[in-house]
Amino acid sequence: MRIDVFTLFPEIITSYAELSILGRAQQAGALKVHAHDLREGATDSRGTVDDAPFGGGAGMVLMPEPVCSAIEKVEAEGEMHRPLFFLSPGGRAFTQNVAREMAELPGFSLLCGRYEGADQRIIDLSCDGELSIGDVVLAGGELAALVIVESVARLLPGALGNSESSEEESFSDGLLEYPQYTRPASFRGHEVPPVLRSGNHGEVERWRLAESLRRTLERRPDLIAARGGLSEAERELLTAYPPSEST
Ligand code: SAH
């Protein structure tokens, strides 16, 4: 998969993308992240890319000419993939389902805003959509781009050590993940739930599903509603596996 990121801070993207999962995926050839400096599109010697907003108001806005030129230059080389998404708090909510859709693509591109944002004509003329990583306002699109790159890259075959690890996790089946435990079995008087040490795989599976359901019901009832509520079997499971006593 090839991902092109347009930004005023390409080092943020490249340095992060060299490490850990992204670094391994790039070394394995499963992923290539290209970061492009928007200043490459500037037309003056000072590399100006922003200007004051028409209509007044605080802050600066990314100018259309430099940004569109920077994108066109890279696109003309022929390797860049679309869709190109502008990162924006007003974009489509980026969720695990969107990450899964994007992981099926041969590639995509991301445009990072800065300052107060980008001239609307950049979005209208050069972009194919907008993505938001949540109802928060960042100072720039770089962290949002990395959130998207990382969550998509870890779904690529071979990116995670264990191919199952992205199948059984939060949101993969519309539920939050069950609690996880590792050694020691007893930590500061708090015990690992005995079922996890029973060696009974069927019991472990049922306990995990019950815990996932309970957690989702308590913390994210919207996710349960989106699945159409609890089935009879799921209700029975919750009764069969009551909440573990916290010791
Ligand atoms: N004035 C804008 C916010 C600008 S923040 C507004 O009110 O919508 C500067 C840049 O950071 C944005 O152009 C965008 O690229 C990025 N950004 C900020 N919050 C983001 C979010 N939640 N998701 C994706 N990108 C975001």
Side-chain angles (χ1 to χ4, degrees), residues 51-57 61 119 121:
D51 205 340
F54 273 118
V61 173
D119 186 292
R121 291 162 296 180

Side-chain angles (χ1 to χ4, degrees), residues 39 42-48:
R39 290 193 199 280
T43 48
D44 63 355
S45 56
R46 294 172 57 220
T48 307

Side-chain angles (χ1 to χ4, degrees), residues 86-89 111-118 131-134 136-141 144:
F86 178 58
L87 298 164
S88 155
L111 170 60
C112 303
R114 268 274 151 184
Y115 318 116
E116 282 312 308
L131 288 174
S132 166
I133 60 145
V136 290
V137 180
L138 303 166

Side-chain angles (χ1 to χ4, degrees), residues 167-185:
E167 276 163 29
E168 249 192 58
E169 62 185 2
S170 290
F171 311 116
S172 54
D173 50 5
L175 297 175
L176 302 179
E177 196 179 60
Y178 45 80
Q180 301 266 22
Y181 294 89
T182 184
R183 282 184 290 189

